[in-house]
Amino acid sequence: MTSTKNIIDGRGLGKSYGALTALAPLDLAVAPGEQVALAGPSGSGKTTLLYILAGLLPPDRGELFLDSQPVAQLQPGRELSEAAGLVQQQLDLVPQLPVVQNVLAGRLDQWGLLRSLASLFSARERDTALNALSRLGIADKIDERTSQLSGGEQQRVAIARLMVQAPKIVLADEPVSSLDPARAEEILKLLTGLADETGGALVASLHAPDLIREHFSRVIGLRQGVLQFDIPARELTPPVLEALYDLDRNSQS
Ligand code: ADP
Ligand code: MG
């Protein structure tokens, strides 16, 4: 009769921009070990929800607990980055810096970041970056300027940064949208593996139903900021998906 403690516990989370409801108030509870996909057409609130869960965007209503702590009480750059980490859709790398510095940005506090910018990180810090890059098969790129890498390699750098950060809650915004199927599989395995290692959970936005059914335990459908369903991933059938993505459904009369 013991209940698992939720690693994400959001109650009535909502966000508006003026008259526009980016996210209508919703409840979201995620247990450790879950992989939750966020699906829905462009503008449905996926990025907004991920930013809220990452503690990067304060909701204007509701309460959010990450690993049982109120998100507002988690210290940015320290407790917050241990609790949750987001791979943004735009990756958020500094292109003119060497790969190693982008990877270490996942671990370093502000003082460390200054040292890193001056290339004064320790051998141990460099090893940490090298280890993550090796696991992603791009150890040889460690000293290259990030902008010299291909799009797929830059995506790995962003994931290496998250590995170094090692947050319990792994968040990813459309991590496979621009990838070929083989690489998409690989990236999703890496992200689920990362969440498993830290005993946490994965929440990622994506559109591909096959990938959702294969790599996720649960799928949440959003449409124009409103929760449409929260179901086991295996129940994401073509009719469910069509209803979610059919933008004209309500305007056809
Ligand atoms: P998705 O990621 O599903 O495409 P978003 O969460 O990015 O959706 O956006 C949801 C809605 O909120 C959209 O209508 C978008 O234009 C709006 N929105 C997002 N961020 C802002 C912002 N900073 N200012 C105004 N509107 C925004
Ligand atoms: Mg988005």
Side-chain angles (χ1 to χ4, degrees), residues 41-48 50 89 173-174 205 207:
S42 176
S44 59
K46 305 179 298 294
T47 298
T48 301
L50 286 167
Q89 194 172 3
D173 200 2
E174 307 210 14
S205 60
H207 301 283

Side-chain angles (χ1 to χ4, degrees), residues 106-161:
R107 170 69 56 89
L108 301 174
D109 56 23
Q110 290 203 343
W111 169 236
L113 213 52
L114 287 176
R115 282 190 294 120
S116 164
L117 288 171
S119 296
L120 291 174
F121 33 74
S122 67
R124 208 184 61 181
E125 284 162 344
R126 189 182 161 86
D127 273 355
T128 304
L130 191 60
N131 183 38
L133 291 166
S134 304
R135 290 180 56 194
L136 296 167
I138 51 167
D140 56 324
K141 307 288 184 196
I142 186 165
D143 292 316
E144 266 183 49
R145 200 187 235 256
T146 306
S147 57
Q148 307 273 301
L149 273 58
S150 72
E153 288 166 346
Q154 292 192 24
Q155 192 152 26
R156 283 160 200 252
V157 172
I159 291 176
R161 182 182 53 193

Side-chain angles (χ1 to χ4, degrees), residues 199-215:
L202 171 68
V203 182
S205 60
L206 74 167
H207 301 283
D210 294 348
L211 291 175
I212 292 175
R213 282 188 293 261
E214 188 184 343
H215 294 277

Side-chain angles (χ1 to χ4, degrees), residues 176-194:
V176 299
S177 54
S178 57
L179 302 181
D180 62 70
R183 180 160 288 147
E185 289 274 344
E186 193 191 333
I187 294 289
L188 287 176
K189 279 187 191 144
L190 284 166
L191 290 170
T192 47
L194 189 55

